[in-house]
Amino acid sequence: MKRILTVQDISCIGKCSLTVALPIVSAMGIECAILPTAVLSTHTMFRGYTFRDLTDDLDGIIDHWVAEGLDFSAVYTGYLGSQRQLDIVSRLFDLYRGGYRVVDPVMADNGKLYPGFTEAFAREMAKLCGKADIILPNMTEAAFMLGVPYPGENYDEAYVRDMLKKLAALGPRIAILTGVSLEAGKLGAMAYDSEKDEYFYYCREHLPAAFHGTGDIFASAFTGALVRGGDYQEALRVAADYTVECIALTLGNPDHVNYGVEFERAIPYLCERIQK
Ligand code: PXL
């Protein structure tokens, strides 16, 4: 069985980071190993959350895996909170060169950094992206990493292509910008493969809602589909289709919670989708 290692926090309640990566990767028939970077009572959009930093434990955990000779088909990182954690992931990428290295540089959305993140951290995250094979920033994260103004909704396809080339110049083979809308009512992701000098765009209907954790759901399904043997284009389509299904099912339930999507009810859809 293939094994993905994902490095991110545990938000005990929040439907994000490890509480979505574990069930999604597992549902795709892949073992999901975890390196939990911190434990929070909730994600940081709640008020008054508790936070336990696990950075001091991480090197020892990795050393044990190295001693055991364990390997991974992909190392996929999400929310990381400090320079030390970036350095530890950088070490992991050096240790595990055989699989995909996927970085979702989780730190911002809608033009703003999440609580606790700084522009200096974004520049450091950009360096980690340079060591990845594939990166998955949204527009805001890309703007912070490149040190350019957030364009809001004022961009066109030429702007997105230019941004993707600049992201690829950081070092990853493939850069994928999420949350890209090139026509009214549609939302999708555009990828640039720097080896083939090839762009790829996939979009779906733009549902009238924004939920927390959907980026983590997208990245988990993307990495799962990639490791299952799909190319990055098919992985992107699977991830977008599953994310749309999650949001649609959530909007269909008037009693849904406001802090995340009902990705659980869309797992049967995901299992069927990856058989196609
Ligand atoms: O969904 C990304 C994410 C992951 N982990 C924590 C977060 C967030 C987004 O805010 O707060 C702790």
Side-chain angles (χ1 to χ4, degrees), residues 8-9 11 16-17 40 42-45 79 106 114 212-213 216:
Q8 42 190 327
D9 67 283
S11 290
C16 68
S17 44
L40 293 82
T42 63
H43 63 52
T44 59
M45 298 296 133
Y79 185 98
V106 178
Y114 292 146
H212 233 76
D216 301 345

Side-chain angles (χ1 to χ4, degrees), residues 15 207 209-212 214 217 242-266:
K15 291 171 178 271
L207 297 176
F211 285 101
H212 233 76
T214 47
I217 287 166
Y242 176 55
T243 307
V244 167
E245 185 71 9
C246 291
I247 297 170
L249 285 179
T250 306
L251 292 176
N253 175 10
D255 296 324
H256 68 76
V257 298
N258 64 2
Y259 58 81
V261 291
E262 300 188 1
F263 72 95
E264 302 90 339
R265 291 202 294 128

Side-chain angles (χ1 to χ4, degrees), residues 35-242:
L35 187 60
T37 52
V39 181
L40 293 82
S41 52
T42 63
H43 63 52
T44 59
M45 298 296 133
F46 283 80
R47 284 207 196 131
Y49 58 86
T50 69
F51 179 89
R52 163 84 56 194
D53 184 16
L54 299 179
T55 307
D56 286 341
D57 292 314
L58 304 182
D59 276 316
I61 293 172
I62 296 165
D63 291 345
H64 183 205
W65 293 338
V66 171
E68 292 287 332
L70 292 161
D71 211 350
F72 306 103
S73 300
V75 177
Y76 143 51
T77 72
Y79 185 98
L80 301 170
S82 65
Q83 180 64 47
R84 266 182 78 205
Q85 290 185 354
L86 294 178
D87 292 343
I88 290 168
V89 170
S90 177
R91 176 179 170 230
L92 263 178
F93 282 177
D94 290 338
L95 283 167
Y96 294 105
R97 290 183 164 277
Y100 293 105
R101 288 162 295 187
V102 180
V103 171
D104 182 6
V106 178
M107 57 191 166
D109 205 1
N110 297 313
K112 287 202 184 110
L113 289 164
Y114 292 146
F117 288 99
T118 62
E119 289 183 24
F121 182 85
R123 287 191 291 274
E124 293 301 321
M125 180 63 95
K127 288 186 199 158
L128 183 68
C129 285
K131 292 184 79 168
D133 299 299
I134 304 183
I135 62 171
L136 302 165
N138 61 33
M139 272 288 185
T140 307
E141 290 154 349
F144 276 108
M145 289 199 295
L146 296 174
V148 300
Y150 172 62
E153 288 171 10
N154 302 320
Y155 59 81
D156 57 11
E157 182 166 350
Y159 181 92
V160 176
R161 284 177 178 240
D162 180 59
M163 209 169 201
L164 281 165
K165 276 216 162 158
K166 288 181 175 140
L167 287 167
L170 296 174
R173 180 163 84 91
I174 297 172
I176 300 179
L177 257 181
T178 61
V180 172
S181 178
L182 295 178
E183 54 179 306
K186 301 269 188 189
L187 189 69
M190 191 182 273
Y192 176 63
D193 181 334
S194 62
E195 259 174 26
K196 296 186 180 151
D197 194 25
E198 157 193 281
Y199 292 93
F200 173 71
Y201 181 58
Y202 182 68
C203 66
R204 290 281 313 263
E205 63 275 30
H206 189 169
L207 297 176
F211 285 101
H212 233 76
T214 47
D216 301 345
I217 287 166
F218 181 94
S220 300
F222 175 85
T223 310
L226 192 71
V227 164
R228 280 178 63 87
D231 56 24
Y232 79 90
Q233 302 184 349
E234 175 59 5
L236 198 162
R237 284 191 288 263
V238 166
D241 288 347
Y242 176 55

